[in-house]
Amino acid sequence: MNSSPRYIQIQDFILEKINTHVWLPGNKIPTELELTKQFNVSRMTVNKAIRDLVNQGLLERTPRLGTFVCQKKVESSLSDIRNIADEIRQRGKTYSNKILRQVTIPADDEIAIRLGVRIDTPIFFSEIIHYEDDTALQLEVRWVNPLFAPEYITQDFSLATPNEYLTKNCPLSSIEHTVEAVMPTTSIQQNLNLTALQPCLLLNRRTWSKQDLISVALLYHPADKYKLSLKAEI
């Protein structure tokens, strides 16, 4: 006979359904009233069980709709730059990528300002989809100043990511990050396997090595699979 408190038994029941994939991310779980009847306990007991799991990030409550299994999100730090391939492998997943474009182009007005070069200056441009297992996790769109990374355009990024190459050859001295939520264009929908109604988390990044502005990157992530965090000492 299970001697655990009743709210723990309810939590164990819910967790067993999640861990065995009976209830998948996004699935609605039984109502508090249904669980009250199933376990023959008070509404308060069921509420505590669910509230604890919500606080742990395993469930989420949506007003007037019910309680749902949370979508598991990958987390990355804003305070530094980590190689996405390393992050994925450290989670025990398989990393791969698809190189969409890797070319030399003239800098347009916007990129010339952001990269600190004259308009029409030849710059390097790459566009790559990064995968965790078979799921598209990030679309990386990057512009690089050839003056500081002259061999960037000839690299095989299926072997080492742009981040890995630039970190090795242009040691990072400072970064600039801005984050915003955006709705995906048709192209981004196709590359990240999204619908028109699924938002993206866009990380705008600029990187310097010593005093030199090396790279500008736009990093698009499916908002339901990715989150960014920042830890600061005060």
Side-chain angles (χ1 to χ4, degrees), residues 165-182:
Y165 171 78
L166 290 173
T167 299
K168 180 179 179 180
N169 291 276
C170 305
L172 181 69
S173 61
S174 60
I175 58 178
E176 175 187 271
H177 279 156
T178 60
V179 181
E180 58 184 317
V182 299

PDB file of all heavy atoms in Angstrom, residues 165-182:
ATOM      1  N   TYR A 165      34.559  28.401 -35.599  1.00  0.00           N
ATOM      2  CA  TYR A 165      35.644  28.954 -36.412  1.00  0.00           C
ATOM      3  C   TYR A 165      36.012  30.361 -35.956  1.00  0.00           C
ATOM      4  O   TYR A 165      37.193  30.682 -35.766  1.00  0.00           O
ATOM      5  CB  TYR A 165      35.244  28.970 -37.887  1.00  0.00           C
ATOM      6  CG  TYR A 165      36.221  29.727 -38.745  1.00  0.00           C
ATOM      7  CD1 TYR A 165      37.428  29.162 -39.132  1.00  0.00           C
ATOM      8  CD2 TYR A 165      35.952  31.036 -39.140  1.00  0.00           C
ATOM      9  CE1 TYR A 165      38.348  29.870 -39.892  1.00  0.00           C
ATOM     10  CE2 TYR A 165      36.856  31.754 -39.902  1.00  0.00           C
ATOM     11  CZ  TYR A 165      38.050  31.164 -40.277  1.00  0.00           C
ATOM     12  OH  TYR A 165      38.962  31.878 -41.023  1.00  0.00           O
ATOM     13  N   LEU A 166      35.001  31.215 -35.766  1.00  0.00           N
ATOM     14  CA  LEU A 166      35.278  32.605 -35.404  1.00  0.00           C
ATOM     15  C   LEU A 166      35.868  32.718 -33.999  1.00  0.00           C
ATOM     16  O   LEU A 166      36.754  33.540 -33.749  1.00  0.00           O
ATOM     17  CB  LEU A 166      33.998  33.432 -35.511  1.00  0.00           C
ATOM     18  CG  LEU A 166      33.484  33.669 -36.936  1.00  0.00           C
ATOM     19  CD1 LEU A 166      32.120  34.352 -36.907  1.00  0.00           C
ATOM     20  CD2 LEU A 166      34.483  34.489 -37.754  1.00  0.00           C
ATOM     21  N   THR A 167      35.385  31.908 -33.076  1.00  0.00           N
ATOM     22  CA  THR A 167      35.912  31.942 -31.710  1.00  0.00           C
ATOM     23  C   THR A 167      37.393  31.565 -31.690  1.00  0.00           C
ATOM     24  O   THR A 167      38.188  32.137 -30.935  1.00  0.00           O
ATOM     25  CB  THR A 167      35.118  30.987 -30.806  1.00  0.00           C
ATOM     26  OG1 THR A 167      33.745  31.399 -30.782  1.00  0.00           O
ATOM     27  CG2 THR A 167      35.671  30.975 -29.400  1.00  0.00           C
ATOM     28  N   LYS A 168      37.756  30.615 -32.527  1.00  0.00           N
ATOM     29  CA  LYS A 168      39.149  30.156 -32.586  1.00  0.00           C
ATOM     30  C   LYS A 168      40.055  31.184 -33.264  1.00  0.00           C
ATOM     31  O   LYS A 168      41.194  31.413 -32.825  1.00  0.00           O
ATOM     32  CB  LYS A 168      39.227  28.828 -33.333  1.00  0.00           C
ATOM     33  CG  LYS A 168      40.633  28.266 -33.458  1.00  0.00           C
ATOM     34  CD  LYS A 168      40.624  26.936 -34.192  1.00  0.00           C
ATOM     35  CE  LYS A 168      42.034  26.373 -34.343  1.00  0.00           C
ATOM     36  NZ  LYS A 168      42.029  25.067 -35.062  1.00  0.00           N
ATOM     37  N   ASN A 169      39.571  31.823 -34.327  1.00  0.00           N
ATOM     38  CA  ASN A 169      40.421  32.694 -35.137  1.00  0.00           C
ATOM     39  C   ASN A 169      40.289  34.177 -34.810  1.00  0.00           C
ATOM     40  O   ASN A 169      41.182  34.960 -35.165  1.00  0.00           O
ATOM     41  CB  ASN A 169      40.109  32.466 -36.621  1.00  0.00           C
ATOM     42  CG  ASN A 169      40.558  31.103 -37.114  1.00  0.00           C
ATOM     43  OD1 ASN A 169      41.706  30.926 -37.476  1.00  0.00           O
ATOM     44  ND2 ASN A 169      39.655  30.134 -37.086  1.00  0.00           N
ATOM     45  N   CYS A 170      39.205  34.554 -34.154  1.00  0.00           N
ATOM     46  CA  CYS A 170      39.000  35.942 -33.742  1.00  0.00           C
ATOM     47  C   CYS A 170      38.537  35.933 -32.290  1.00  0.00           C
ATOM     48  O   CYS A 170      37.322  36.055 -32.030  1.00  0.00           O
ATOM     49  CB  CYS A 170      37.960  36.632 -34.623  1.00  0.00           C
ATOM     50  SG  CYS A 170      38.303  36.580 -36.392  1.00  0.00           S
ATOM     51  N   PRO A 171      39.425  35.757 -31.339  1.00  0.00           N
ATOM     52  CA  PRO A 171      39.037  35.602 -29.930  1.00  0.00           C
ATOM     53  C   PRO A 171      38.079  36.704 -29.474  1.00  0.00           C
ATOM     54  O   PRO A 171      38.323  37.888 -29.684  1.00  0.00           O
ATOM     55  CB  PRO A 171      40.378  35.676 -29.197  1.00  0.00           C
ATOM     56  CG  PRO A 171      41.370  35.192 -30.205  1.00  0.00           C
ATOM     57  CD  PRO A 171      40.883  35.700 -31.528  1.00  0.00           C
ATOM     58  N   LEU A 172      37.011  36.304 -28.857  1.00  0.00           N
ATOM     59  CA  LEU A 172      35.942  37.213 -28.466  1.00  0.00           C
ATOM     60  C   LEU A 172      36.389  38.167 -27.362  1.00  0.00           C
ATOM     61  O   LEU A 172      36.979  37.749 -26.375  1.00  0.00           O
ATOM     62  CB  LEU A 172      34.744  36.393 -27.978  1.00  0.00           C
ATOM     63  CG  LEU A 172      33.506  37.166 -27.545  1.00  0.00           C
ATOM     64  CD1 LEU A 172      32.842  37.810 -28.751  1.00  0.00           C
ATOM     65  CD2 LEU A 172      32.539  36.249 -26.829  1.00  0.00           C
ATOM     66  N   SER A 173      36.087  39.463 -27.558  1.00  0.00           N
ATOM     67  CA  SER A 173      36.374  40.446 -26.508  1.00  0.00           C
ATOM     68  C   SER A 173      35.095  41.072 -25.973  1.00  0.00           C
ATOM     69  O   SER A 173      35.024  41.428 -24.798  1.00  0.00           O
ATOM     70  CB  SER A 173      37.312  41.541 -27.028  1.00  0.00           C
ATOM     71  OG  SER A 173      36.721  42.231 -28.113  1.00  0.00           O
ATOM     72  N   SER A 174      34.066  41.222 -26.805  1.00  0.00           N
ATOM     73  CA  SER A 174      32.791  41.765 -26.339  1.00  0.00           C
ATOM     74  C   SER A 174      31.673  41.337 -27.277  1.00  0.00           C
ATOM     75  O   SER A 174      31.907  41.003 -28.450  1.00  0.00           O
ATOM     76  CB  SER A 174      32.845  43.293 -26.225  1.00  0.00           C
ATOM     77  OG  SER A 174      33.135  43.879 -27.473  1.00  0.00           O
ATOM     78  N   ILE A 175      30.447  41.334 -26.734  1.00  0.00           N
ATOM     79  CA  ILE A 175      29.275  40.955 -27.505  1.00  0.00           C
ATOM     80  C   ILE A 175      28.151  41.950 -27.251  1.00  0.00           C
ATOM     81  O   ILE A 175      28.110  42.618 -26.221  1.00  0.00           O
ATOM     82  CB  ILE A 175      28.785  39.531 -27.154  1.00  0.00           C
ATOM     83  CG1 ILE A 175      28.453  39.425 -25.656  1.00  0.00           C
ATOM     84  CG2 ILE A 175      29.778  38.481 -27.573  1.00  0.00           C
ATOM     85  CD1 ILE A 175      27.909  38.072 -25.250  1.00  0.00           C
ATOM     86  N   GLU A 176      27.249  42.030 -28.216  1.00  0.00           N
ATOM     87  CA  GLU A 176      26.036  42.831 -28.078  1.00  0.00           C
ATOM     88  C   GLU A 176      24.854  41.930 -28.427  1.00  0.00           C
ATOM     89  O   GLU A 176      24.825  41.319 -29.497  1.00  0.00           O
ATOM     90  CB  GLU A 176      26.086  44.028 -29.028  1.00  0.00           C
ATOM     91  CG  GLU A 176      24.822  44.867 -29.047  1.00  0.00           C
ATOM     92  CD  GLU A 176      24.879  45.919 -30.133  1.00  0.00           C
ATOM     93  OE1 GLU A 176      25.385  47.018 -29.839  1.00  0.00           O
ATOM     94  OE2 GLU A 176      24.441  45.639 -31.273  1.00  0.00           O
ATOM     95  N   HIS A 177      23.900  41.849 -27.508  1.00  0.00           N
ATOM     96  CA  HIS A 177      22.724  41.003 -27.705  1.00  0.00           C
ATOM     97  C   HIS A 177      21.450  41.826 -27.571  1.00  0.00           C
ATOM     98  O   HIS A 177      21.329  42.626 -26.645  1.00  0.00           O
ATOM     99  CB  HIS A 177      22.666  39.887 -26.653  1.00  0.00           C
ATOM    100  CG  HIS A 177      23.533  38.717 -26.962  1.00  0.00           C
ATOM    101  ND1 HIS A 177      23.999  37.860 -25.986  1.00  0.00           N
ATOM    102  CD2 HIS A 177      24.008  38.235 -28.132  1.00  0.00           C
ATOM    103  CE1 HIS A 177      24.735  36.914 -26.544  1.00  0.00           C
ATOM    104  NE2 HIS A 177      24.761  37.117 -27.836  1.00  0.00           N
ATOM    105  N   THR A 178      20.510  41.608 -28.455  1.00  0.00           N
ATOM    106  CA  THR A 178      19.136  42.063 -28.271  1.00  0.00           C
ATOM    107  C   THR A 178      18.226  40.902 -28.641  1.00  0.00           C
ATOM    108  O   THR A 178      18.563  40.100 -29.528  1.00  0.00           O
ATOM    109  CB  THR A 178      18.785  43.286 -29.134  1.00  0.00           C
ATOM    110  OG1 THR A 178      18.943  42.958 -30.524  1.00  0.00           O
ATOM    111  CG2 THR A 178      19.660  44.476 -28.792  1.00  0.00           C
ATOM    112  N   VAL A 179      17.101  40.790 -27.939  1.00  0.00           N
ATOM    113  CA  VAL A 179      16.181  39.676 -28.153  1.00  0.00           C
ATOM    114  C   VAL A 179      14.787  40.229 -28.425  1.00  0.00           C
ATOM    115  O   VAL A 179      14.345  41.178 -27.772  1.00  0.00           O
ATOM    116  CB  VAL A 179      16.136  38.744 -26.926  1.00  0.00           C
ATOM    117  CG1 VAL A 179      15.197  37.571 -27.176  1.00  0.00           C
ATOM    118  CG2 VAL A 179      17.532  38.244 -26.593  1.00  0.00           C
ATOM    119  N   GLU A 180      14.092  39.633 -29.375  1.00  0.00           N
ATOM    120  CA  GLU A 180      12.725  40.031 -29.659  1.00  0.00           C
ATOM    121  C   GLU A 180      11.934  38.840 -30.180  1.00  0.00           C
ATOM    122  O   GLU A 180      12.500  37.869 -30.685  1.00  0.00           O
ATOM    123  CB  GLU A 180      12.684  41.174 -30.674  1.00  0.00           C
ATOM    124  CG  GLU A 180      13.357  40.860 -32.003  1.00  0.00           C
ATOM    125  CD  GLU A 180      13.372  42.047 -32.943  1.00  0.00           C
ATOM    126  OE1 GLU A 180      12.331  42.735 -33.043  1.00  0.00           O
ATOM    127  OE2 GLU A 180      14.420  42.300 -33.567  1.00  0.00           O
ATOM    128  N   ALA A 181      10.623  38.935 -30.021  1.00  0.00           N
ATOM    129  CA  ALA A 181       9.726  37.930 -30.577  1.00  0.00           C
ATOM    130  C   ALA A 181       9.237  38.430 -31.930  1.00  0.00           C
ATOM    131  O   ALA A 181       8.832  39.589 -32.059  1.00  0.00           O
ATOM    132  CB  ALA A 181       8.546  37.693 -29.650  1.00  0.00           C
ATOM    133  N   VAL A 182       9.294  37.565 -32.935  1.00  0.00           N
ATOM    134  CA  VAL A 182       8.861  37.946 -34.280  1.00  0.00           C
ATOM    135  C   VAL A 182       8.017  36.820 -34.874  1.00  0.00           C
ATOM    136  O   VAL A 182       8.142  35.655 -34.488  1.00  0.00           O
ATOM    137  CB  VAL A 182      10.064  38.238 -35.205  1.00  0.00           C
ATOM    138  CG1 VAL A 182      10.893  39.396 -34.676  1.00  0.00           C
ATOM    139  CG2 VAL A 182      10.940  36.991 -35.388  1.00  0.00           C
TER     140      VAL A 182
END
